[in-house]
Amino acid sequence: MKEENQNDLMDKIISLAKRRGFIFPSSEIYGGFSSSYDYGPLGTELKYNIKNEWRKEMLQFQDNIVGLDTAILMSPKVWQASGHLSAGFSDLLVECSKCHHRFRDDMVSGNKCPDCNGELMSARKFNLMMKTFVGPVEDDASVTYLRAETCQGIYLNYENVLNSMRLKIPFGIAQIGKSFRNEINPGNFIYRMREFEQMEMQFFINPNESDKWFDYWVEQRLNWYIKLGIKKENLRLHQQTKEELAHYARAAYDIEYKFPFGWKEIEGIHNRGDWDLSNHSKYSGHELNYFDEKTKTKFTPHIIETSAGADRSVLVFLLDAYEEIKGGRTQTTKATKEIETVLKFNSKIAPVKAAVFPLMKNKEPLVKLAKQIYQNLKKNFLVQYDEIDSIGRRYRRQDEIGTPYCITVDFQSVEDKTVTVRDRDTLIQKRIAINNLVDYLNQQLEL
Ligand code: GAP
């Protein structure tokens, strides 16, 4: 997409997301709720598919990684040990002396308020942990926090998983789940929210091998996005400087995406060293280490972490798939200047895999056969049935939500038991025997 179109690309994505049921503003009937969003029916599928690909990558394609699903609420001591209650997990906040709006220090230039041009007061630290109370009494003893990263639950279960699964180093533990941060300036749609989902994997290694595994995971994670169709030119790696490193990290690479609002992080790969296991050993008094049977030595494993945002991934997959094509793409578009929108999702990610149309809705044999085909395909794929409007409009509706294949049942179908299968990207239509449809789609979709 050309530079001049970049600015309104976000608006188009936000509007498409709402109109076609991908993402809705949260609490909309109450006027919305700051930077909270709800996933609609198609957004839910899209996000689920992304998470599922991540799970498959970690738990099936990689070696020696197991899954976990831990609690959001944990002992508040966890967050002392992890360093998240200290200054390290704070943003610098500046407040306007006139309108009292607050901004992240790094998001304003100069000492003038971006909203009212008033004088900004000096910066102070603002901790990002979301506080809550557990039980009926709201006092200091009942304070805890919503987790700010999912990985802490993994560290707490390091020993449980190691022992129950009889694992040997190097091994990984992967989990997907919600995290919460009281971000000062959330924004850019689902890019920065206060409630978001992370896909995190912690790889426990011998400290001698940290460089090797760090390089390995940087490469693997970058390739994951490329494998799922994200354009290479829209991805890059950024090595964090000492000043940028999080309090727990010795080294870090960000995978960045070229968003319409600039190059921004979508995933971090961190060398966390022994920060987490050592601190949890110290604060809990429960030693977390590893005994190597071969060398008969005991050590604290180091951790290489891959930490991706599920919501940021959804945004990346939507933006990267979005294409506008000047009219005439579908057979029945009359005005050639009309713009047609296509989401060119990789088929693994696409919410709907195929749609079945009878050529006309009032012709009983066509409708009957189309419904039979639909019922049969449903057993294998998430498919839609649509008989409303012209075929051209039905194609356009499916293109706009990224459905890879549209199947049309016409008069010939009733005669010879074949259908046309139209490819979203090449627009090529092939006649396929109804009996071979499942095999054909399986082959094409490569799910
Ligand atoms: N456990 C390490 C960790 O949490 P991070 O760089 O703070 O590292 C990792 O976060 C990923 O989580 C980010 O790359 C991003 O994709 C996602 N993420 C973090 N904060 C977010 C927010 N406020 N809204 C949406 N996604 C966020």
Side-chain angles (χ1 to χ4, degrees):
M1 183 155 294
K2 290 201 189 98
E3 283 297 322
E4 67 260 29
N5 296 335
Q6 286 287 316
N7 290 342
D8 57 6
L9 179 57
M10 279 301 285
D11 291 340
K12 286 177 178 165
I13 291 288
I14 294 169
S15 149
L16 172 70
K18 167 120 198 266
R19 188 161 38 83
R20 298 308 313 271
F22 283 92
I23 300 162
F24 307 126
S26 168
S27 315
E28 204 181 4
I29 61 167
Y30 287 98
F33 189 71
S34 168
S35 296
S36 276
Y37 292 91
D38 297 330
Y39 284 84
L42 295 184
T44 305
E45 287 309 314
L46 176 61
K47 195 179 190 189
Y48 174 84
N49 291 343
I50 293 170
K51 292 191 286 186
N52 200 32
E53 285 307 313
W54 185 88
R55 275 176 53 82
K56 254 172 30 196
E57 172 69 24
M58 290 299 176
L59 304 177
Q60 187 180 331
F61 303 153
Q62 297 285 345
D63 291 327
N64 232 15
I65 302 182
V66 294
L68 198 67
D69 186 356
T70 68
I72 289 175
L73 295 175
M74 288 177 263
S75 162
K77 289 181 189 151
V78 171
W79 304 106
Q80 272 168 16
S82 71
H84 282 79
L85 292 179
S86 329
F89 194 60
S90 303
D91 274 345
L92 280 176
L93 171 150
V94 285
E95 186 173 333
C96 172
S97 54
K98 204 160 133 199
C99 69
H100 296 286
H101 288 173
R102 292 166 174 187
F103 307 92
R104 242 172 65 182
D105 189 45
D106 60 348
M107 288 187 168
V108 288
S109 51
N111 57 353
K112 292 285 181 212
C113 171
D115 286 353
C116 75
N117 214 31
E119 203 73 25
L120 293 174
M121 298 190 270
S122 52
R124 61 195 160 91
K125 292 224 156 152
F126 177 81
N127 189 272
L128 302 183
M129 295 297 296
M130 282 262 195
K131 210 185 244 185
T132 190
F133 298 95
V134 172
V137 183
E138 295 193 3
D139 61 10
D140 284 353
S142 63
V143 166
T144 192
Y145 304 87
L146 304 185
R147 68 180 174 201
E149 50 176 10
T150 61
C151 56
Q152 294 301 327
I154 295 180
Y155 308 139
L156 302 190
N157 283 287
Y158 158 76
E159 209 175 63
N160 286 335
V161 175
L162 179 71
N163 294 339
S164 61
M165 302 304 288
R166 305 169 64 83
L167 294 167
K168 294 234 177 327
I169 267 175
F171 72 90
I173 306 180
Q175 112 162 304
I176 297 177
K178 289 267 177 145
S179 290
F180 302 81
R181 296 181 193 175
N182 205 359
E183 298 280 359
I184 302 167
N185 292 125
N188 284 325
F189 194 32
I190 54 170
Y191 178 81
R192 190 181 303 284
M193 298 185 287
R194 296 196 171 102
E195 171 185 344
F196 53 94
E197 211 165 355
Q198 292 186 307
M199 308 186 285
E200 297 200 304
M201 193 280 297
Q202 312 298 310
F203 206 62
F204 297 84
I205 55 168
N206 186 311
N208 300 331
E209 297 193 319
S210 64
D211 288 346
K212 173 180 125 184
W213 286 114
F214 186 54
D215 293 348
Y216 175 82
W217 282 111
V218 170
E219 192 192 331
Q220 291 293 308
R221 293 307 302 147
L222 183 65
N223 284 340
W224 184 76
Y225 294 95
I226 297 168
K227 239 177 10 191
L228 290 176
I230 302 299
K231 299 175 193 82
K232 260 188 190 164
E233 64 270 24
N234 290 339
L235 291 165
R236 73 175 189 195
L237 288 173
H238 164 72
Q239 185 170 18
Q240 288 197 351
T241 60
K242 273 216 169 73
E243 293 70 39
E244 289 173 310
L245 286 177
H247 61 277
Y248 50 72
R250 296 176 173 207
Y253 271 99
D254 291 339
I255 298 176
E256 294 185 335
Y257 182 75
K258 194 177 181 190
F259 287 98
F261 43 91
W263 285 99
K264 299 274 177 206
E265 174 194 340
I266 53 173
E267 170 159 355
I269 294 94
H270 309 128
N271 176 353
R272 297 180 72 123
D274 67 342
W275 169 270
D276 301 281
L277 292 186
S278 291
N279 275 337
H280 285 305
S281 298
K282 194 168 111 194
Y283 278 74
S284 67
H286 186 107
E287 226 180 287
L288 298 170
N289 49 33
Y290 181 79
F291 183 72
D292 190 326
E293 300 281 356
K294 265 197 216 139
T295 57
K296 306 283 178 221
T297 52
K298 199 162 82 168
F299 58 87
T300 307
H302 280 201
I303 290 166
I304 305 296
E305 166 184 66
T306 72
S307 177
D311 309 280
R312 279 190 198 174
S313 297
V314 168
L315 184 54
V316 164
F317 280 101
L318 277 171
L319 285 165
D320 215 72
Y322 187 90
E323 267 186 39
E324 286 179 352
I325 297 160
K326 279 241 172 84
R329 189 172 185 268
T330 47
Q331 303 149 328
T332 54
T333 307
K334 288 185 200 94
T336 48
K337 279 191 188 137
E338 217 175 305
I339 292 204
E340 298 182 11
T341 304
V342 190
L343 286 180
K344 291 193 169 175
F345 288 131
N346 177 294
S347 49
K348 293 186 170 67
I349 297 298
V352 178
K353 306 304 180 197
V356 183
F357 312 147
L359 187 64
M360 289 179 215
K361 77 170 173 186
N362 295 323
K363 298 282 178 204
E364 182 54 25
L366 300 188
V367 170
K368 193 172 160 203
L369 185 56
K371 284 189 174 163
Q372 267 173 14
I373 293 170
Y374 165 70
Q375 290 297 339
N376 194 40
L377 290 182
K378 254 160 79 83
K379 295 175 200 154
N380 299 273
F381 317 102
L382 204 153
V383 283
Q384 284 190 349
Y385 173 83
D386 189 3
E387 57 177 30
I388 311 294
D389 296 326
S390 68
I391 286 287
R393 290 183 85 136
R394 282 180 261 170
Y395 281 151
R396 291 192 59 175
R397 278 203 289 271
Q398 293 299 330
D399 287 349
E400 206 182 30
I401 62 168
T403 306
Y405 293 98
C406 288
I407 296 151
T408 303
V409 177
D410 55 18
F411 293 104
Q412 192 185 328
S413 310
V414 183
E415 299 290 312
D416 69 2
K417 302 284 179 265
T418 64
V419 286
T420 62
V421 181
R422 179 246 200 198
D423 181 299
R424 178 197 65 202
D425 301 336
T426 63
L427 302 184
I428 291 171
Q429 300 195 24
K430 280 195 179 158
R431 279 210 92 87
I432 304 289
I434 295 170
N435 281 341
N436 293 338
L437 252 186
V438 170
D439 282 352
Y440 179 76
L441 288 177
N442 263 326
Q443 222 173 57
Q444 297 297 308
L445 292 165
E446 296 181 56
L447 296 179

